[in-house]
């Protein structure tokens, strides 16, 4: 991957104008499409397969009068008066009549209707007008809503002085999310951090520009997608928040690596390519983890949540693509202007020279001062180790003090961190989930005012009535049956009133409106729904009625239950994915386990803080929390998914540097320090930016987004600074060398994910080694072991382009192993190898695309060879020559090879051939040249010539064939 990204980065640098034009074109097309096709977002929540949704779908057909969206209009008479007084009642009656005439209003029920009870408060001061629409919330048009609001306004004007009225209810309970100036604070903080990190306004502006471009494209695509189905109004805000955060951070990683490389003297183009290859690999890994976790939201099997996760995943994917293409292009535009100024570099060099002059060198080569030996970081050490290049010149004593402080007594650090985060997580035990209602809206909002007035005069339950429905087609006395059912339900605990119990016009379906005594999001209401459903069999046996509970409140309860039940399987998927991915990256057993446990601590702590604020009211007023209580149902699952990706992001950038240094030095504790110093600065900057962006959505954020934003802000802070930068170094210090242990069988089983670009570094190091278009195969010190011993060792060869390599050996398995290695199908244990100018095993995929491997003992040999040659390979590897059955077949194979070789030469792409056999004599009949390069795996000095000479008959056959080919 790193090699491919290296090529991509170099191309984007050179084709920067084209890349920029393409991204601007994408934005223009997406934006234009959004303007043309946008259908608007909605706040409707549905959950197929639940009792409440099935009952509501049934009511759409059998009792449409009560299945659509609803609203409430409350009237409160002046102090000392009642709603029965002449002027107030007249105004209410007029409003009911006007509402009934509005399109899409199924009915407006007067509080004075004789069939309705409970619509007038006990003190006669308040009355409720119930408005029922003939469609779902998504179907109600803006003109209908405007007409209803107009009637409500006219009612307010017609009421006597001192009276109060307010419009609210289900249709008006959810406000559309909107951006405020406060959210820009996060962008300003991000800009400040970027300026401090890069020391350049030009470099600092790049991540912001690219992140905003990615957000604009993803938002436009979301609005285009509204053509294909409803999308929650929370979806664009979540995509905006995530896209902005990850877009800035991913660009930060690449530009930071680029600037470090410029400081070391690299050319801007080469530095851009390497930064894209190394930091870009980590960006892909981090982006994939976020994307997979977001797509994993589909585990809950809730359509709106699946859509939300998919939309956010698209935003993250766009951020990754922009980081890998547009950032290199912008680095190309910047050129030398991003290189640190010479005077800064000179000061660093002077500081190093001063330190070197103050120290002397011991006879062993150790650095010393008057007091004794010094290590390469200026500290006393008995066994100094070389410091990697990425640490030299940083002089960051703060981070050095940090890492040494947390690793001095690692067990104490571990206990302290676990204790603090464990205590912070305790409030999460009381975290309750529910869908937001009007009570969660800010004070002053019309729907919130209605909610508060209804709660004050009627009780909180009137804000979330339940509908109990069932088929009564078998009843001979539907009115009597409904009366009996009403009496039964009125006697249940938690029921405040049953204002309505009636059959439909065809007397086949009945509904019972139940007013709970608790608020819609209270535990009491949830218990009441569970109790009614628990009596299902009783009602079926006693009244032969299959009752179901539905309504907006019941749907919210079902969604919360479904999401709560999905947390465990989703968590197992995330944790399992974490273990697998990190094992692939770090080639370790303990590091993934430590990283996963740290992630769980971060998640638990963020849940605890959210519960403290939204459930217990700690700092609720300062954060402008409208009302404490349950948080939105999908907060935990989204928080787990997003935080997983971000946590793995920090883990990779921090620990991969430690692993890189450990591989080179084999000094575990030293690698912790040098790796920490090499990555702590960029991880700190990234975490501060993430925290600022998420935190900015808390004070004035949307009701649905606010708890998610707070949880993410806390989670990022805890995970980056407490878990990754404190707990992780302590755990690694405690484990020592064991931290990097991995069983060999598992190492062979798992694919390698080269995040830090080790393969690229190997490829770059061999760029000049036996380079040139005239060399097709180059090997030095090549060796491979097998289960029964060494297969081959110390293989040395160089094959010119268009040449032929003959591999012979008495053991066919050894020959096959070497041929598979040359074809990019098998990875050697030791040595250097280039095939078609590509370094193996780094570019094994590219080599496999250019090199064909043919087993002549598998199938019909001539047909197999012909099929492989039809693919026009650059290198042809032929195995099993000694298995050819007869002279005629050998001659045909020879003819095919000669024809292919000459055709390739005429086409300007010479064909290089490698042939292997366990019988040297068998090669003489099929070699398309008389002077091949020979590797004798049995010889002590590989490279000897063939000992067998062609027989007279064979020579004649060869000459005849060549004549025919020439003809």
């Amino acid at each position: 991957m790193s090699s491919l990204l290296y090529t991509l980065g170099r191309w984007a640098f050179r084709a920067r104008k084209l890349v920029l034009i393409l991204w601007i074109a994408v934005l223009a097309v997406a934006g234009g499409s959004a303007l043309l096709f946008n259908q608007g977002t909605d706040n409707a929540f549905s959950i197929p397969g639940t009792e409440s949704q099935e009952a509501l779908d049934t009511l759409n057909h059998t009792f449409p009068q009560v299945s659509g969206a609803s609203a409430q209009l409350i009237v409160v008479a002046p102090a000392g008066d009642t709603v029965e007084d002449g002027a107030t009642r007249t105004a209410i009656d007029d409003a009911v009549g006007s509402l009934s005439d509005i399109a899409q209003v199924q009915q407006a029920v007067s509080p004075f209707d004789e069939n309705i009870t409970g619509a007038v408060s006990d003190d006669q001061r308040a009355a409720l007008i119930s408005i029922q629409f003939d469609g779902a919330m998504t179907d109600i048009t803006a003109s209908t809503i405007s007409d209803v609001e107009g009637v409500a306004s006219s009612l307010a004007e017609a009421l006597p002085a001192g009276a109060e009225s307010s419009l609210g209810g289900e249709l008006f309970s959810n406000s559309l999310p909107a951006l405020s100036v406060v959210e820009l604070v996060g962008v300003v903080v991000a800009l400040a951090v970027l300026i401090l990190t890069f020391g350049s306004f030009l470099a600092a502006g790049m991540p912001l520009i690219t992140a905003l471009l990615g957000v604009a494209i993803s938002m436009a695509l979301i609005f285009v997608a509204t053509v294909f189905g409803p999308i929650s109004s929370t979806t664009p805000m979540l995509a905006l928040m995530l896209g902005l955060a990850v877009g800035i951070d991913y660009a930060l990683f690449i530009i930071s690596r680029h600037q470090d490389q410029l400081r070391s003297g690299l050319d801007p183009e080469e530095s851009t390519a390497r930064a894209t290859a190394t930091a870009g690999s980590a960006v892909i890994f981090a982006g994939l983890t976020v994307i997979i976790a977001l797509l994993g939201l589909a585990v809950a099997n809730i359509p709106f949540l699946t859509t939300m996760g998919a939309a956010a995943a698209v935003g993250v994917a766009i951020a990754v693509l922009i980081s890998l293409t547009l950032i290199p292009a912008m680095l190309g535009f910047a050129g030398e202007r991003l290189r640190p100024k010479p005077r800064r570099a000179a000061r660093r060099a002077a500081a190093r020279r001063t330190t070197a002059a103050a120290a002397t060198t011991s006879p062993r080569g150790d650095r010393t001062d008057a007091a004794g030996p010094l290590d390469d970081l200026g500290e006393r050490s008995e066994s100094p180790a070389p410091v990697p290049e990425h640490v030299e010149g940083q002089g960051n004593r703060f981070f050095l003090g940090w890492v040494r402080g947390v690793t001095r007594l690692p067990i104490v650090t571990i206990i302290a961190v676990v204790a603090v985060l464990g205590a912070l997580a305790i409030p999460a035990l009381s975290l309750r989930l529910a869908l937001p209602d009007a009570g969660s809206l800010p004070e002053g909002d019309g729907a919130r005012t209605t909610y508060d007035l209804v709660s004050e005069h009627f009780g909180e339950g009137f804000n979330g009535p339940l509908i109990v429905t069932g088929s009564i087609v078998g009843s001979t006395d539907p009115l009597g049956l409904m009366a009996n059912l009403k009496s039964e339900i009125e006697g249940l605990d938690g029921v405040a009133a049953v204002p309505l119990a009636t059959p439909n016009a065809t007397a086949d379906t009945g509904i019972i409106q139940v007013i709970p005594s608790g608020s819609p999001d209270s535990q009491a209401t949830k218990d009441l729904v569970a109790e009614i459903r628990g009596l299902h069999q009783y009602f079926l046996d006693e009244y032969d009625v299959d009752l179901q509970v539905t309504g907006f409140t019941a749907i919210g309860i079902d969604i919360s239950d479904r999401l709560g039940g999905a947390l465990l399987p989703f968590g197992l998927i995330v944790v399992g994915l974490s273990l697998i991915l990190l094992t692939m990256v770090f080639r370790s057993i303990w590091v993934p386990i430590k990283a996963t446990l740290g992630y769980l601590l971060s998640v638990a702590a963020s849940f605890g803080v959210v519960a403290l604020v939204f459930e217990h009211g700690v700092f609720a007023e300062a954060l402008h929390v409208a009302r404490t209580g349950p948080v939105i149902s999908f907060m935990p699952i989204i928080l787990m998914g997003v935080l997983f990706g971000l946590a793995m992001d920090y883990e990779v950038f921090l620990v991969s540097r430690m692993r890189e240094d450990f591989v080179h030095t084999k000094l575990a504790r030293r690698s912790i320090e040098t790796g920490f110093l090499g990555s702590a600065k960029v991880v700190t900057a990234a975490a501060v930016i993430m925290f600022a962006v998420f935190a900015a959505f808390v004070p004035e954020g949307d009701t649905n987004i606010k708890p998610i934003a707070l949880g993410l802000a806390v989670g990022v802070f805890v995970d980056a600074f407490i878990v990754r930068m404190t707990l992780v170094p302590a755990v690694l210090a405690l484990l020592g060398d064991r931290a990097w242990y991995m069983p060999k069988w598992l190492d062979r089983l798992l694919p390698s994910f080269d995040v830090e670009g080790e393969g690229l570094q190997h490829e770059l190091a061999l760029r000049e080694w036996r380079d040139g278009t005239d060399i097709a195969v180059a090997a030095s010190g090549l060796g491979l072991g097998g289960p029964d011993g060494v297969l081959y060792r110390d293989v040395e060869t160089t094959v010119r382009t268009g040449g032929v390599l003959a591999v012979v050996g008495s053991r066919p398995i050894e020959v096959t192993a070497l041929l598979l290695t040359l074809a990019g199908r098998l990875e050697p244990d030791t040595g250097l190898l280039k095939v078609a100018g590509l370094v193996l095993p780094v570019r094994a995929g590219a080599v496999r695309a250019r090199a064909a491997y043919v087993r002549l003992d598998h199938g019909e040999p001539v047909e197999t060879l012909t099929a492989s040659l039809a693919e026009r390979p650059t290198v042809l590897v032929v195995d099993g020559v000694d298995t050819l059955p007869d002279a005629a077949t050998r001659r045909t194979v020879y003819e095919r090879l000669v024809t292919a070789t000459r055709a390739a030469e005429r086409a300007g792409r010479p064909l290089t051939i490698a042939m292997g056999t366990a019988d040297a004599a068998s090669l003489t009949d099929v070699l398309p040249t008389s002077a091949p390069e020979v590797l004798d795996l049995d010889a002590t000095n590989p490279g000897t010539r063939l000992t067998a000479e062609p027989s007279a008959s064979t020579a004649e056959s060869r000459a005849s064939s060549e004549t025919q080919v020439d003809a």
Side-chain angles (χ1 to χ4, degrees), residues 75-94 111-112 120 123-127 155 158-163:
V75 177
V76 181
D81 295 344
T82 70
V83 292
E84 296 281 1
D85 292 343
T88 303
R89 176 156 186 165
T90 300
I92 292 175
D93 290 338
D94 292 343
F112 311 115
V120 176
D123 61 4
Q124 303 293 304
R125 279 201 60 204
L155 171 62
L159 290 172

Side-chain angles (χ1 to χ4, degrees), residues 296-318:
L297 296 177
V299 170
N301 195 27
I302 299 176
F304 76 84
L305 187 61
T306 301
T307 302
M308 187 181 300
V314 169
V316 174
I318 291 174

Side-chain angles (χ1 to χ4, degrees), residues 682-722:
V682 68
V683 169
T684 298
V688 170
I689 290 173
M690 284 274 191
F691 175 82
V693 171
F694 291 143
F697 283 83
V698 177
E700 302 297 334
D702 171 64
T703 302
N704 300 339
I705 289 293
K706 190 185 289 279
I708 298 175
L710 177 63
L712 288 175
V714 173
V716 165
F717 181 88
V718 168
D719 194 84
F721 297 113
I722 300 180

Side-chain angles (χ1 to χ4, degrees), residues 601-900:
L601 281 174
S602 300
V603 169
S606 60
F607 283 172
V609 172
V610 170
L612 277 176
V613 174
F614 289 90
E615 192 77 29
H616 302 286
V618 179
F619 295 117
E621 185 175 350
L623 296 177
H624 295 180
V625 176
R627 187 187 66 168
T628 58
V631 299
I632 191 165
S633 305
F634 48 81
M635 184 280 294
I637 198 167
I638 287 181
L639 181 61
M640 289 177 64
V642 175
L643 191 58
F644 165 69
L646 301 181
M648 297 307 102
D649 193 345
Y650 302 137
E651 178 78 12
V652 168
F653 275 92
L654 190 67
V655 182
S656 60
R657 284 294 184 94
M658 299 178 184
R659 176 182 175 272
E660 181 182 357
D661 292 350
F662 177 77
V663 169
H664 290 124
T665 66
K666 299 302 180 183
L667 300 173
R669 184 174 287 270
R670 165 62 66 195
S671 300
I672 295 171
E673 294 181 2
T674 55
F676 189 90
L677 289 177
S679 54
K681 180 181 178 182
V682 68
V683 169
T684 298
V688 170
I689 290 173
M690 284 274 191
F691 175 82
V693 171
F694 291 143
F697 283 83
V698 177
E700 302 297 334
D702 171 64
T703 302
N704 300 339
I705 289 293
K706 190 185 289 279
I708 298 175
L710 177 63
L712 288 175
V714 173
V716 165
F717 181 88
V718 168
D719 194 84
F721 297 113
I722 300 180
V723 172
R724 305 302 157 189
M725 296 179 68
T726 303
L727 181 64
V728 166
V731 172
L732 292 179
L734 185 65
L735 291 173
D737 292 353
R738 295 188 301 274
W740 310 106
Y741 168 75
M742 185 174 184
K744 291 184 178 180
W745 65 267
L746 184 59
D747 186 56
R748 290 191 298 268
L749 181 65
L750 291 176
S752 178
F753 198 103
D754 186 14
V755 173
E756 274 298 307
E758 293 177 14
L760 175 65
Q761 297 300 324
H762 178 61
E763 187 174 5
L764 293 176
L766 296 181
R767 177 186 288 174
E768 306 298 330
W769 179 72
R770 299 190 191 179
D771 190 32
T773 56
D774 60 331
I775 298 179
V777 178
S780 176
L782 214 58
L784 177 66
D788 298 326
V790 176
L791 293 173
Y792 58 80
R793 69 174 55 161
D794 298 328
V795 171
E796 299 278 347
T797 189
T798 301
V799 183
R800 297 290 177 180
T801 301
V804 177
L805 173 67
V807 180
V808 297
S810 58
R811 297 181 62 199
I813 188 174
E814 296 174 351
V815 175
T816 298
L818 181 57
L819 292 178
L820 286 172
T821 303
L822 298 179
R825 273 72 171 177
L826 196 62
E827 182 175 340
D829 291 335
T830 60
L832 307 177
L833 177 62
K834 268 187 178 181
V835 175
L838 301 172
V839 177
L840 285 170
V842 179
R843 300 297 297 275
V847 169
R848 287 194 293 268
R850 293 167 171 80
Y853 177 76
V854 182
R855 285 292 299 266
L856 297 180
D857 57 342
H858 287 186
E860 206 287 320
V862 175
E863 292 180 359
T864 303
L865 178 63
T866 303
S868 296
L869 288 171
E871 298 176 2
R872 298 183 178 181
T874 302
V875 177
L876 177 68
V877 179
V878 184
D879 194 5
V881 175
D882 53 309
T883 64
L884 293 176
D886 49 50
T889 303
R890 288 194 294 273
R891 178 175 177 175
T892 304
V893 168
Y894 165 74
E895 291 173 351
R896 292 287 193 277
L897 293 175
V898 171
T899 302

Side-chain angles (χ1 to χ4, degrees), residues 67 73 79 169 205 222 364 409 436 451 467 473 477 509 543 563 566 682 750 803 815 834 882 938:
S67 64
L73 184 54
I222 289 173
R364 295 183 306 157
L409 297 173
Y451 184 96
I467 296 178
V473 68
D477 182 15
T509 302
Y543 300 101
L563 285 167
V682 68
L750 291 176
V815 175
K834 268 187 178 181
D882 53 309
D938 294 333

Side-chain angles (χ1 to χ4, degrees), residues 321-339:
L321 289 175
I322 287 179
S323 297
L324 297 177
T325 55
L326 186 56
I327 287 295
M330 297 186 73
L331 295 179
F333 284 115
E336 289 285 348
R337 286 176 290 176
L338 293 185
R339 191 182 297 276

